[in-house]
Amino acid sequence: MKKFSRTIIMIAFMACVTAAHARDDKLLLPIQEALNSPEAVKVLNPNVQLYFAKSSGRVVQAGLVTNRKTSSVGKSDEAACQWAFLAAVKQLQEQASSNHATKVTNIVSYYKKNSMASTNEYECHAGGVIAGVALKGDLAK
């Protein structure tokens, strides 16, 4: 009987661990809140303008994709998603700077190659240990 109880406990534990790691929750979070955060001031380049779901200027390189992930261990889904979002935006800005562009336009969420255009929200997927944001945008002058 003792061996049977341990087996049941072990199966239940493994089921919980598997379910936690398989989680893939879709969150739609506010762009402006992330861009106005203290973390954004530290990591984003104020000299590269950002345009979400709209264009501005002459496109010099189209369809750049970034897919940033971060650990969500010990963080809320929202905090982990915000960090992944800022990392993705920063990467787009770095690509703009290295290509002598001053803007990143037409920025859309691009999870699993599915575009979601919004001027207000970005898409993030949060799991048991990882949160990720994929963005696609164009570099412009």
Side-chain angles (χ1 to χ4, degrees), residues 55-133:
S55 62
S56 175
R58 180 179 56 85
V59 173
V60 295
Q61 191 169 355
L64 291 168
V65 176
T66 179
N67 187 354
R68 305 302 292 182
K69 305 220 182 299
T70 191
S71 169
S72 59
V73 175
K75 301 174 191 150
S76 68
D77 287 348
E78 291 78 7
C81 285
Q82 182 172 297
W83 186 251
F85 172 76
L86 293 175
V89 171
K90 179 181 177 183
Q91 188 174 33
L92 288 173
Q93 286 185 320
E94 288 171 348
Q95 291 174 339
S97 292
S98 67
N99 285 286
H100 308 291
T102 57
K103 303 173 184 177
V104 183
T105 68
N106 299 315
I107 303 170
V108 298
S109 292
Y110 198 62
Y111 186 74
K112 291 189 177 180
K113 298 183 180 180
N114 293 312
S115 292
M116 187 207 75
S118 174
T119 57
N120 299 315
E121 297 176 317
Y122 66 93
E123 182 176 347
C124 176
H125 285 256
V129 294
I130 299 283
V133 172

Side-chain angles (χ1 to χ4, degrees), residues 11-51:
I11 290 170
F13 175 76
M14 293 302 287
C16 289
V17 168
T18 302
H21 288 287
R23 187 169 70 94
D24 183 19
D25 295 342
K26 175 181 171 180
L27 289 88
L28 298 177
L29 299 168
I31 292 169
Q32 243 2 90
E33 186 175 308
L35 294 179
N36 293 336
S37 71
E39 294 82 10
V41 173
K42 294 176 189 172
V43 299
L44 297 183
N45 182 348
N47 298 317
V48 177
Q49 297 174 350
L50 303 168
Y51 295 88

